[in-house]
Amino acid sequence: TAVTWSLSPAVGSISISGIYTAPATTTSSPAVTVTATSVADPTKAAHASITHAPPVRMSVTPVSVTLGPSQTVTFTASVANISNTAVTWSLSPLVGSISNSGVYTAPATVSVAQTVTVRATSGADPTKTAIAAIALTPGVSVSLTPASATLGPSQTQAFTALVANSSNTAVTWSLSPAVGSISGSGVYTAPAAIAAAQTVTVIATSVADSTKRASSRVTLASIPAPTFFPAPGAYTSTTSVTLSDGDSSAMIYYTTDGSTPSASSIRYTEAIPLSISATVRAIAINGTLNSAVTSGYYTISAPLAVVVTLTPTNAIIPVGLNQQFAAFVAGTQTTAVTWTVSGTGCSGTACGTISSSGLYTAPAVVPSSSAVTITATNLSNAAQSASATVVIVSAVGKTYYLAPAAQGGRDSNSGLTASLPWLTPNHAGLNCGDVIQAAASTAYVSSNFVVNTAPTCAAANNVVWIKCVTFDACKISITSGSGMMFGASYWGVQGWEVDGTSTSGPCFLIYPFTSTTIHHLLFADNVANGCGGGGFSVNPSTQISPTNYGTDYISLVGNIIYNSAGTTAYCATGIEVYEPVAYDSLPGTHIYIAGNFSDSNVEPSVCNGGGPTDGEGVELDTFDGSQTGTPIYSQQAVIDNNIFLDNGGPGIETANNSAGTGPFSHMYIRHNTVWGNNSDPNESTYGVLVGEIVIGSSFTTEVFDNIAVTNAIDGAASNPIYSYWVTNGNGTDHVYHEFGYAVGGTVDGISSSLGFSYGPDNLFGTNPSFANPVIPGAPNCSGYSSVPACMATVIADFTPTNAVALGYGYQIPSSTPVYDPLYPQWLCSVTNLPAGLVTPGCATASESGSSTTGTSTR
């Protein structure tokens, strides 16, 4: 039965077993005849004919292009020699996005230059591809400091514009509205007369790229006629005497030689009592010197009292870590200080460095004498200073091990090896910087995570981590109570998942057990899934009377919160920070909620004995302490760069930050993407609070750079859903540079908010056109490296395709530190904080590091 094979013409090849292989390239040659000839009888043969099809050929145009942030380019794929010309597009690395039609959009932020490869793959033959190259370059960016200022008539404020990623750092200045004036160097001058309070936006526009700009807000305050206290006359006293004209923005001019004050006299803010050692003639002026004002002269004799105080006065700091110091100056108008570091066992940077804002960084090596001195000296009076002692210690950071009982976890073990793990994290002798590494397991039980032992934290700026060895591989499933409960300070949780499909408690509960305020708690890269009492719940101690104990310095960074408001026992929400209590009065951000994904938190039809009232993605609740009697919380709180979707109530809500006399917490809401919330039609008690972002009875709240989009016309109790809703606010609230779109046209709502108005620079009524706005469903993060990796599809789905909106809402975090006054500086010292959850804001305004000396104004 053997045959021999032959080809005519001899194009291609054929094996002895009859396998034909076409040539690598084909031309217009005729068909090839394949002949099988019998070996037994060569006169007997059979034939077959082969026709060669030309190969699929592909190309992509353009083959290379250079783009800046948010720019787009359309690629065209050419597919030849086949009827199916469809292609699929892909990127390597996955930076930016590309549509099905080949439109590539660069990311909104490009921190460093890099190359992205665009690949078109044939739908008919996946082995055929063509590529093009995109060179991404950092785009021009503009930042402006300060972010805000309040001025009276004729007062001035110097603004500084920084232009990055361009050799041309020039800017042009403009005002909106054109009230007052601004010089070419950025000095704004308020008008001489201010009839009523109003807001002016100062805008710096890059000369290199006129599409890039930054803005700051100036609040112009009208000044009432002066009322002088005490009455004009002569006073002799051994204590200080306060001069006041009834308006905190006015100035008091005075001299120490009895002469009439003039524009060159010493100027003194009336908020600080005037205490001096000589006879003084002082006059209160409405914002500026006015020689026509002759009333209000005083003669006062009192001791000199220029005082500098420093907080804290003592600190123990491990090498390389930071400590924020604050200087307060009384008795002089010049409150700026110069910072210095010195030590007997070191000099220069070997003693550490300190920035102009008072942020001290310990050196990498302990000096021969471990104590150094931080000094703040008043600029106007070098004899007045204050000092603090810092003791530098060696780095901390031991590793301990944790496992469930089924895997050998015992608290009687040493915890020092994976074979002798602890069962619970409650152990004496832990120090901030230590890591308790948990073995991967689904057998953990919540009763072992009632954390009530505080580690030692020398610098008060770090945590002990309870860290899963692999992201999302350590899980606690609960049917009652909470998954993890923290009643002690200086703890961090990283890489865990808590599931509670039938529990009435929260996944993660932060709650002081005893008569103390707990603080410095950090939750990063975790999953809260299905817990009825909330994903993360931060509460004061309601079982202690009087209720003056709560929580402070809470950071929730890069977590997932899903379907965590289902209990009927009480009304819950995805993330709730309720009535915090200040641990200290240091400046900067104390409450920080950033990089989180909170969705589908919907309450049942009945909770807490009535209709649902919460179910928000996140709520900053009752910071004025008006519900349980905690002190008014006046520290800074920030909700930054989160995504909130499909929650039963508002995506973001601030409530009850207005009772009492204040001062109130300054709340910032920035760069969040908020979509499709207010999905629960049963919400009725607070039905008027129907907005994607709601400011309710909340003063000193600042909202900017967000995207808020509705996906329905009506929500709770058939009320229209607004993108933004402000109720019971006032002129201290500001909603500006926002992107808002409502399918029913109800973008901006106001109720009972005297002095409040929207603007400036809001883009309302334009659809950002998200790429694929769908509800993500329950998280399944097994196999992913982090929360952002698990949420990559959600991030892509809620990226605007409208280029105008790309700078608003959620932004892909960068690992490169930037200057960000809203970033909590204590996080800059936290060891083992996962990268990629948020952009670290640890750089100063003018430098990426610190200096041995600096100057600041308080």
Side-chain angles (χ1 to χ4, degrees):
T1 59
V3 297
T4 58
W5 299 92
S6 60
L7 303 174
S8 179
V11 176
S13 62
I14 191 165
S15 70
I16 60 175
S17 59
I19 297 175
Y20 176 79
T21 302
T25 60
T26 59
T27 62
S28 58
S29 60
V32 175
T33 298
V34 179
T35 301
T37 303
S38 170
V39 173
D41 183 356
T43 65
K44 301 298 188 289
H47 309 278
S49 179
I50 295 175
T51 302
H52 292 131
V56 175
R57 297 188 183 278
M58 296 185 63
S59 62
V60 172
T61 56
V63 295
S64 64
V65 66
T66 299
L67 298 179
S70 302
Q71 291 184 331
T72 63
V73 63
T74 299
F75 288 98
T76 301
S78 175
V79 183
N81 299 329
I82 196 167
S83 59
N84 182 358
T85 60
V87 300
T88 57
W89 297 93
S90 60
L91 304 174
S92 179
L94 187 58
V95 176
S97 62
I98 191 164
S99 69
N100 293 336
S101 60
V103 178
Y104 174 81
T105 303
T109 301
V110 179
S111 55
V112 295
Q114 59 182 309
T115 300
V116 175
T117 299
V118 174
R119 184 179 302 275
T121 302
S122 169
D125 183 356
T127 66
K128 299 300 187 291
T129 64
I131 62 173
I134 302 172
L136 294 179
T137 60
V140 175
S141 64
V142 183
S143 61
L144 192 58
T145 55
S148 63
T150 300
L151 302 178
S154 299
Q155 290 182 336
T156 61
Q157 174 67 56
F159 290 91
T160 300
L162 296 177
V163 179
N165 302 323
S166 175
S167 59
N168 185 353
T169 59
V171 298
T172 58
W173 298 92
S174 59
L175 303 174
S176 177
V179 176
S181 62
I182 191 162
S183 70
S185 60
V187 177
Y188 174 79
T189 303
I194 302 174
Q198 60 180 308
T199 299
V200 176
T201 301
V202 175
I203 303 168
T205 302
S206 168
V207 173
D209 183 351
S210 61
T211 66
K212 300 300 186 295
R213 63 179 185 172
S215 62
S216 296
R217 189 186 68 258
V218 175
T219 300
L220 298 178
S222 60
I223 297 179
T227 303
F228 298 100
F229 302 98
Y235 294 85
T236 301
S237 174
T238 57
T239 59
S240 64
V241 175
T242 300
L243 299 182
S244 173
D245 69 345
D247 171 48
S248 61
S249 65
M251 295 294 179
I252 295 172
Y253 293 81
Y254 68 94
T255 62
T256 57
D257 59 3
S259 61
T260 301
S262 66
S264 61
S265 301
I266 303 171
R267 191 171 67 178
Y268 200 84
T269 304
E270 63 180 338
I272 306 172
L274 177 60
S275 302
I276 45 149
S277 60
T279 300
V280 177
R281 292 172 62 84
I283 185 170
I285 308 298
N286 286 1
T288 186
L289 189 66
N290 184 347
S291 59
V293 179
T294 57
S295 61
Y297 282 80
Y298 303 87
T299 302
I300 301 171
S301 178
L304 180 66
V306 177
V307 178
V308 181
T309 57
L310 197 58
T311 302
T313 57
N314 295 280
I316 302 173
I317 305 177
V319 292
L321 297 187
N322 298 332
Q323 173 67 52
Q324 179 69 59
F325 288 91
F328 302 91
V329 181
T332 176
Q333 170 66 21
T334 304
T335 59
V337 297
T338 297
W339 297 91
T340 56
V341 183
S342 61
T344 59
C346 58
S347 61
T349 57
C351 295
T353 59
I354 192 162
S355 72
S356 60
S357 63
L359 182 65
Y360 172 75
T361 302
V365 178
V366 178
S368 59
S369 176
S370 61
V372 300
T373 300
I374 307 295
T375 302
T377 303
N378 180 237
L379 280 182
S380 66
N381 189 338
Q384 301 302 317
S385 64
S387 297
T389 300
V390 172
V391 176
I392 303 167
V393 296
S394 298
V396 295
K398 291 183 178 179
T399 298
Y400 299 90
Y401 295 88
L402 188 76
Q407 295 174 222
R410 305 286 187 274
D411 280 337
S412 58
N413 291 339
S414 68
L416 294 174
T417 65
S419 61
L420 293 172
W422 288 336
L423 181 65
T424 76
N426 286 311
H427 288 266
L430 292 171
N431 296 282
C432 276
D434 293 344
V435 175
I436 302 176
Q437 182 172 287
S441 178
T442 60
Y444 290 100
V445 294
S446 60
S447 59
N448 290 328
F449 293 91
V450 180
V451 183
N452 52 23
T453 302
T456 299
C457 202
N461 60 359
N462 205 342
V463 297
V464 170
W465 283 110
I466 306 173
K467 178 182 179 182
C468 186
V469 64
T470 302
F471 167 69
D472 199 42
C474 301
K475 298 186 180 182
I476 301 175
S477 296
I478 53 176
T479 57
S480 63
S482 57
M484 286 188 175
M485 184 174 179
F486 288 82
S489 304
Y490 305 120
W491 285 98
V493 179
Q494 182 184 147
W496 286 73
E497 179 170 339
V498 177
D499 302 314
T501 54
S502 60
T503 183
S504 62
C507 291
F508 299 89
L509 174 61
I510 302 95
Y511 173 84
F513 299 157
T514 57
S515 302
T516 184
T517 289
I518 61 174
H519 48 87
H520 293 86
L521 292 163
L522 172 57
F523 298 82
D525 219 21
N526 302 290
V527 179
N529 181 15
C531 300
F536 291 87
S537 183
V538 182
N539 288 284
S541 182
T542 57
Q543 298 176 355
I544 301 172
S545 181
T547 310
N548 290 327
Y549 309 104
T551 55
D552 196 12
Y553 287 104
I554 304 296
S555 290
L556 307 180
V557 178
N559 303 285
I560 297 172
I561 303 92
Y562 172 77
N563 186 28
S564 292
T567 182
T568 59
Y570 55 91
C571 298
T573 196
I575 301 172
E576 180 178 39
V577 181
Y578 179 58
E579 292 197 338
V581 175
Y583 165 66
D584 59 34
S585 59
L586 286 176
T589 296
H590 285 222
I591 306 294
Y592 187 59
I593 300 170
N596 301 286
F597 303 82
S598 183
D599 73 279
S600 304
N601 298 292
V602 182
E603 295 174 302
S605 58
V606 175
C607 59
N608 199 29
T613 58
D614 289 283
E616 299 89 0
V618 62
E619 181 178 23
L620 302 183
D621 192 356
T622 316
F623 278 29
D624 57 23
S626 58
Q627 293 185 356
T628 64
T630 56
I632 293 176
Y633 183 80
S634 60
Q635 309 309 311
Q636 187 165 289
V638 174
I639 301 174
D640 187 34
N641 211 51
N642 306 276
I643 295 180
F644 301 106
L645 312 170
D646 188 47
N647 294 287
I652 301 174
E653 181 176 341
T654 64
N656 303 323
N657 187 41
S658 61
T661 58
F664 302 107
S665 171
H666 198 152
M667 299 176 174
Y668 292 90
I669 301 172
R670 176 184 70 174
H671 269 306
N672 300 282
T673 293
V674 191
W675 174 89
N677 297 282
N678 305 283
S679 62
D680 185 0
N682 297 311
E683 294 247 357
S684 58
T685 304
Y686 301 114
V688 294
L689 302 181
V690 184
E692 296 293 326
I693 298 178
V694 170
I695 309 303
S697 300
S698 180
F699 295 167
T700 59
T701 301
E702 198 158 338
V703 185
F704 57 102
D705 290 343
N706 303 282
I707 298 179
V709 179
T710 73
N711 70 336
I713 295 175
D714 293 330
S718 299
N719 284 284
I721 304 176
Y722 286 79
S723 300
Y724 301 89
W725 182 263
V726 178
T727 183
N728 295 314
N730 67 7
T732 65
D733 299 317
H734 303 283
V735 181
Y736 62 97
H737 203 256
E738 288 287 276
F739 204 101
Y741 179 74
V743 296
T746 50
V747 178
D748 50 333
I750 305 175
S751 172
S752 303
S753 299
L754 183 64
F756 171 80
S757 61
Y758 285 94
D761 297 335
N762 290 314
L763 292 176
F764 287 166
T766 300
N767 194 336
S769 300
F770 292 128
N772 184 35
V774 296
I775 302 168
N780 182 6
C781 294
S782 296
Y784 289 93
S785 61
S786 65
V787 161
C790 183
M791 292 287 102
T793 298
V794 176
I795 294 170
D797 286 347
F798 285 89
T799 297
T801 60
N802 185 341
V804 177
L806 285 172
Y808 298 80
Y810 181 88
Q811 306 290 303
I812 301 294
S814 168
S815 59
T816 303
V818 299
Y819 169 67
D820 185 358
L822 300 188
Y823 188 80
Q825 290 302 299
W826 78 276
L827 292 187
C828 298
S829 301
V830 171
T831 51
N832 297 303
L833 179 64
L837 304 182
V838 293
T839 299
C842 302
T844 63
S846 58
E847 56 191 355
S848 58
S850 301
S851 59
T852 55
T853 62
T855 302
S856 70
T857 301
R858 293 282 173 199

mmCIF file of all heavy atoms in Angstrom, residues 478-508:
data_model
loop_
_atom_site.group_PDB
_atom_site.id
_atom_site.type_symbol
_atom_site.label_atom_id
_atom_site.label_comp_id
_atom_site.label_asym_id
_atom_site.label_seq_id
_atom_site.Cartn_x
_atom_site.Cartn_y
_atom_site.Cartn_z
ATOM 1 N N ILE A 478 -18.225 35.990 60.310
ATOM 2 C CA ILE A 478 -18.946 36.202 61.567
ATOM 3 C C ILE A 478 -20.445 36.121 61.333
ATOM 4 O O ILE A 478 -20.956 36.442 60.261
ATOM 5 C CB ILE A 478 -18.586 37.567 62.196
ATOM 6 C CG1 ILE A 478 -18.787 38.713 61.184
ATOM 7 C CG2 ILE A 478 -17.168 37.573 62.699
ATOM 8 C CD1 ILE A 478 -18.546 40.091 61.750
ATOM 9 N N THR A 479 -21.136 35.670 62.379
ATOM 10 C CA THR A 479 -22.603 35.635 62.355
ATOM 11 C C THR A 479 -23.189 36.527 63.425
ATOM 12 O O THR A 479 -24.402 36.747 63.462
ATOM 13 C CB THR A 479 -23.110 34.195 62.556
ATOM 14 O OG1 THR A 479 -22.594 33.681 63.792
ATOM 15 C CG2 THR A 479 -22.657 33.303 61.405
ATOM 16 N N SER A 480 -22.350 37.049 64.323
ATOM 17 C CA SER A 480 -22.807 37.993 65.349
ATOM 18 C C SER A 480 -21.617 38.836 65.778
ATOM 19 O O SER A 480 -20.461 38.440 65.598
ATOM 20 C CB SER A 480 -23.397 37.256 66.553
ATOM 21 O OG SER A 480 -22.404 36.466 67.188
ATOM 22 N N GLY A 481 -21.914 40.007 66.363
ATOM 23 C CA GLY A 481 -20.839 40.873 66.822
ATOM 24 C C GLY A 481 -20.051 41.466 65.683
ATOM 25 O O GLY A 481 -20.509 41.545 64.539
ATOM 26 N N SER A 482 -18.827 41.897 65.993
ATOM 27 C CA SER A 482 -17.958 42.508 64.990
ATOM 28 C C SER A 482 -16.809 41.576 64.665
ATOM 29 O O SER A 482 -16.468 40.672 65.426
ATOM 30 C CB SER A 482 -17.411 43.843 65.509
ATOM 31 O OG SER A 482 -16.728 43.666 66.738
ATOM 32 N N GLY A 483 -16.185 41.791 63.506
ATOM 33 C CA GLY A 483 -15.091 40.939 63.079
ATOM 34 C C GLY A 483 -13.800 41.239 63.807
ATOM 35 O O GLY A 483 -13.150 40.352 64.347
ATOM 36 N N MET A 484 -13.398 42.502 63.818
ATOM 37 C CA MET A 484 -12.251 42.962 64.585
ATOM 38 C C MET A 484 -12.690 44.183 65.386
ATOM 39 O O MET A 484 -13.371 45.065 64.856
ATOM 40 C CB MET A 484 -11.073 43.345 63.683
ATOM 41 C CG MET A 484 -10.333 42.193 63.060
ATOM 42 S SD MET A 484 -8.827 42.793 62.219
ATOM 43 C CE MET A 484 -8.095 41.235 61.714
ATOM 44 N N MET A 485 -12.306 44.242 66.673
ATOM 45 C CA MET A 485 -12.717 45.338 67.544
ATOM 46 C C MET A 485 -11.485 45.916 68.225
ATOM 47 O O MET A 485 -10.711 45.178 68.846
ATOM 48 C CB MET A 485 -13.712 44.837 68.589
ATOM 49 C CG MET A 485 -14.269 45.910 69.493
ATOM 50 S SD MET A 485 -15.563 45.220 70.566
ATOM 51 C CE MET A 485 -16.014 46.668 71.512
ATOM 52 N N PHE A 486 -11.289 47.237 68.087
ATOM 53 C CA PHE A 486 -10.089 47.890 68.613
ATOM 54 C C PHE A 486 -10.469 48.908 69.680
ATOM 55 O O PHE A 486 -11.267 49.827 69.435
ATOM 56 C CB PHE A 486 -9.313 48.572 67.480
ATOM 57 C CG PHE A 486 -8.638 47.588 66.571
ATOM 58 C CD1 PHE A 486 -9.339 46.960 65.547
ATOM 59 C CD2 PHE A 486 -7.309 47.252 66.767
ATOM 60 C CE1 PHE A 486 -8.725 46.030 64.729
ATOM 61 C CE2 PHE A 486 -6.685 46.320 65.940
ATOM 62 C CZ PHE A 486 -7.383 45.713 64.931
ATOM 63 N N GLY A 487 -9.895 48.706 70.871
ATOM 64 C CA GLY A 487 -10.106 49.641 71.975
ATOM 65 C C GLY A 487 -8.802 50.165 72.522
ATOM 66 O O GLY A 487 -8.743 50.625 73.660
ATOM 67 N N ALA A 488 -7.723 50.099 71.738
ATOM 68 C CA ALA A 488 -6.410 50.563 72.159
ATOM 69 C C ALA A 488 -5.734 51.274 70.992
ATOM 70 O O ALA A 488 -6.095 51.082 69.823
ATOM 71 C CB ALA A 488 -5.550 49.386 72.636
ATOM 72 N N SER A 489 -4.754 52.093 71.287
ATOM 73 C CA SER A 489 -4.088 52.937 70.294
ATOM 74 C C SER A 489 -2.952 52.195 69.582
ATOM 75 O O SER A 489 -2.509 51.132 70.009
ATOM 76 C CB SER A 489 -3.523 54.185 70.980
ATOM 77 O OG SER A 489 -4.529 54.893 71.669
ATOM 78 N N TYR A 490 -2.495 52.809 68.462
ATOM 79 C CA TYR A 490 -1.283 52.414 67.722
ATOM 80 C C TYR A 490 -1.391 51.028 67.088
ATOM 81 O O TYR A 490 -0.462 50.220 67.154
ATOM 82 C CB TYR A 490 -0.040 52.476 68.624
ATOM 83 C CG TYR A 490 0.182 53.806 69.278
ATOM 84 C CD1 TYR A 490 0.214 53.934 70.666
ATOM 85 C CD2 TYR A 490 0.351 54.963 68.517
ATOM 86 C CE1 TYR A 490 0.415 55.160 71.279
ATOM 87 C CE2 TYR A 490 0.557 56.203 69.115
ATOM 88 C CZ TYR A 490 0.582 56.295 70.496
ATOM 89 O OH TYR A 490 0.778 57.506 71.087
ATOM 90 N N TRP A 491 -2.498 50.736 66.435
ATOM 91 C CA TRP A 491 -2.662 49.467 65.737
ATOM 92 C C TRP A 491 -2.972 49.704 64.265
ATOM 93 O O TRP A 491 -3.647 50.678 63.910
ATOM 94 C CB TRP A 491 -3.782 48.640 66.364
ATOM 95 C CG TRP A 491 -3.398 48.016 67.675
ATOM 96 C CD1 TRP A 491 -3.669 48.483 68.921
ATOM 97 C CD2 TRP A 491 -2.651 46.805 67.855
ATOM 98 N NE1 TRP A 491 -3.146 47.645 69.870
ATOM 99 C CE2 TRP A 491 -2.514 46.600 69.248
ATOM 100 C CE3 TRP A 491 -2.096 45.871 66.971
ATOM 101 C CZ2 TRP A 491 -1.843 45.506 69.785
ATOM 102 C CZ3 TRP A 491 -1.421 44.782 67.509
ATOM 103 C CH2 TRP A 491 -1.295 44.599 68.900
ATOM 104 N N GLY A 492 -2.505 48.798 63.427
ATOM 105 C CA GLY A 492 -2.823 48.828 62.005
ATOM 106 C C GLY A 492 -3.246 47.442 61.549
ATOM 107 O O GLY A 492 -2.769 46.423 62.057
ATOM 108 N N VAL A 493 -4.160 47.385 60.577
ATOM 109 C CA VAL A 493 -4.634 46.120 60.013
ATOM 110 C C VAL A 493 -4.412 46.185 58.502
ATOM 111 O O VAL A 493 -4.807 47.165 57.857
ATOM 112 C CB VAL A 493 -6.122 45.873 60.322
ATOM 113 C CG1 VAL A 493 -6.583 44.554 59.697
ATOM 114 C CG2 VAL A 493 -6.354 45.860 61.819
ATOM 115 N N GLN A 494 -3.809 45.126 57.947
ATOM 116 C CA GLN A 494 -3.439 45.153 56.532
ATOM 117 C C GLN A 494 -3.679 43.787 55.891
ATOM 118 O O GLN A 494 -3.210 42.761 56.370
ATOM 119 C CB GLN A 494 -1.959 45.528 56.415
ATOM 120 C CG GLN A 494 -1.442 45.639 55.003
ATOM 121 C CD GLN A 494 0.052 45.929 54.957
ATOM 122 O OE1 GLN A 494 0.757 45.492 54.049
ATOM 123 N NE2 GLN A 494 0.554 46.664 55.935
ATOM 124 N N GLY A 495 -4.463 43.798 54.784
ATOM 125 C CA GLY A 495 -4.603 42.611 53.948
ATOM 126 C C GLY A 495 -5.645 41.614 54.399
ATOM 127 O O GLY A 495 -5.661 40.481 53.902
ATOM 128 N N TRP A 496 -6.573 41.986 55.303
ATOM 129 C CA TRP A 496 -7.566 41.061 55.841
ATOM 130 C C TRP A 496 -8.909 41.215 55.132
ATOM 131 O O TRP A 496 -9.198 42.260 54.538
ATOM 132 C CB TRP A 496 -7.768 41.299 57.330
ATOM 133 C CG TRP A 496 -6.643 40.799 58.175
ATOM 134 C CD1 TRP A 496 -5.394 41.349 58.286
ATOM 135 C CD2 TRP A 496 -6.651 39.645 59.027
ATOM 136 N NE1 TRP A 496 -4.623 40.618 59.152
ATOM 137 C CE2 TRP A 496 -5.366 39.556 59.629
ATOM 138 C CE3 TRP A 496 -7.606 38.689 59.336
ATOM 139 C CZ2 TRP A 496 -5.038 38.543 60.522
ATOM 140 C CZ3 TRP A 496 -7.277 37.677 60.237
ATOM 141 C CH2 TRP A 496 -6.006 37.601 60.814
ATOM 142 N N GLU A 497 -9.743 40.162 55.249
ATOM 143 C CA GLU A 497 -11.136 40.246 54.815
ATOM 144 C C GLU A 497 -12.030 39.754 55.951
ATOM 145 O O GLU A 497 -11.776 38.706 56.549
ATOM 146 C CB GLU A 497 -11.396 39.406 53.569
ATOM 147 C CG GLU A 497 -12.860 39.462 53.127
ATOM 148 C CD GLU A 497 -13.135 38.839 51.774
ATOM 149 O OE1 GLU A 497 -12.170 38.716 50.975
ATOM 150 O OE2 GLU A 497 -14.292 38.481 51.511
ATOM 151 N N VAL A 498 -13.070 40.557 56.251
ATOM 152 C CA VAL A 498 -14.087 40.170 57.219
ATOM 153 C C VAL A 498 -15.408 40.045 56.487
ATOM 154 O O VAL A 498 -15.836 40.989 55.803
ATOM 155 C CB VAL A 498 -14.201 41.184 58.372
ATOM 156 C CG1 VAL A 498 -15.332 40.784 59.318
ATOM 157 C CG2 VAL A 498 -12.890 41.268 59.140
ATOM 158 N N ASP A 499 -16.050 38.871 56.607
ATOM 159 C CA ASP A 499 -17.341 38.608 55.979
ATOM 160 C C ASP A 499 -18.379 38.393 57.075
ATOM 161 O O ASP A 499 -18.125 37.665 58.038
ATOM 162 C CB ASP A 499 -17.279 37.356 55.097
ATOM 163 C CG ASP A 499 -16.213 37.471 54.016
ATOM 164 O OD1 ASP A 499 -16.152 38.530 53.371
ATOM 165 O OD2 ASP A 499 -15.448 36.516 53.831
ATOM 166 N N GLY A 500 -19.550 38.998 56.910
ATOM 167 C CA GLY A 500 -20.589 38.840 57.933
ATOM 168 C C GLY A 500 -21.966 38.908 57.349
ATOM 169 O O GLY A 500 -22.688 39.883 57.551
ATOM 170 N N THR A 501 -22.370 37.901 56.641
ATOM 171 C CA THR A 501 -23.624 37.958 55.892
ATOM 172 C C THR A 501 -24.846 38.058 56.783
ATOM 173 O O THR A 501 -25.894 38.524 56.335
ATOM 174 C CB THR A 501 -23.756 36.716 54.997
ATOM 175 O OG1 THR A 501 -23.610 35.533 55.809
ATOM 176 C CG2 THR A 501 -22.670 36.708 53.940
ATOM 177 N N SER A 502 -24.745 37.626 58.061
ATOM 178 C CA SER A 502 -25.929 37.688 58.919
ATOM 179 C C SER A 502 -25.670 38.409 60.234
ATOM 180 O O SER A 502 -26.486 38.351 61.142
ATOM 181 C CB SER A 502 -26.442 36.271 59.219
ATOM 182 O OG SER A 502 -25.441 35.511 59.891
ATOM 183 N N THR A 503 -24.538 39.072 60.361
ATOM 184 C CA THR A 503 -24.226 39.728 61.617
ATOM 185 C C THR A 503 -24.899 41.100 61.720
ATOM 186 O O THR A 503 -25.162 41.756 60.703
ATOM 187 C CB THR A 503 -22.708 39.907 61.791
ATOM 188 O OG1 THR A 503 -22.443 40.500 63.062
ATOM 189 C CG2 THR A 503 -22.142 40.833 60.719
ATOM 190 N N SER A 504 -25.146 41.525 62.949
ATOM 191 C CA SER A 504 -25.666 42.869 63.167
ATOM 192 C C SER A 504 -24.559 43.849 63.523
ATOM 193 O O SER A 504 -24.815 45.029 63.743
ATOM 194 C CB SER A 504 -26.706 42.852 64.303
ATOM 195 O OG SER A 504 -26.097 42.424 65.516
ATOM 196 N N GLY A 505 -23.334 43.353 63.624
ATOM 197 C CA GLY A 505 -22.220 44.216 63.967
ATOM 198 C C GLY A 505 -21.421 44.639 62.757
ATOM 199 O O GLY A 505 -21.632 44.150 61.647
ATOM 200 N N PRO A 506 -20.462 45.562 62.943
ATOM 201 C CA PRO A 506 -19.607 45.998 61.833
ATOM 202 C C PRO A 506 -18.470 45.020 61.593
ATOM 203 O O PRO A 506 -18.102 44.237 62.466
ATOM 204 C CB PRO A 506 -19.077 47.349 62.319
ATOM 205 C CG PRO A 506 -19.082 47.234 63.808
ATOM 206 C CD PRO A 506 -20.235 46.348 64.174
ATOM 207 N N CYS A 507 -17.910 45.065 60.383
ATOM 208 C CA CYS A 507 -16.731 44.251 60.093
ATOM 209 C C CYS A 507 -15.547 44.689 60.959
ATOM 210 O O CYS A 507 -14.859 43.864 61.556
ATOM 211 C CB CYS A 507 -16.367 44.364 58.616
ATOM 212 S SG CYS A 507 -17.529 43.581 57.473
ATOM 213 N N PHE A 508 -15.303 46.004 61.001
ATOM 214 C CA PHE A 508 -14.211 46.560 61.797
ATOM 215 C C PHE A 508 -14.796 47.642 62.700
ATOM 216 O O PHE A 508 -15.404 48.598 62.213
ATOM 217 C CB PHE A 508 -13.124 47.158 60.901
ATOM 218 C CG PHE A 508 -12.475 46.164 59.978
ATOM 219 C CD1 PHE A 508 -13.011 45.918 58.707
ATOM 220 C CD2 PHE A 508 -11.341 45.478 60.355
ATOM 221 C CE1 PHE A 508 -12.426 45.003 57.848
ATOM 222 C CE2 PHE A 508 -10.742 44.558 59.500
ATOM 223 C CZ PHE A 508 -11.282 44.315 58.251
#
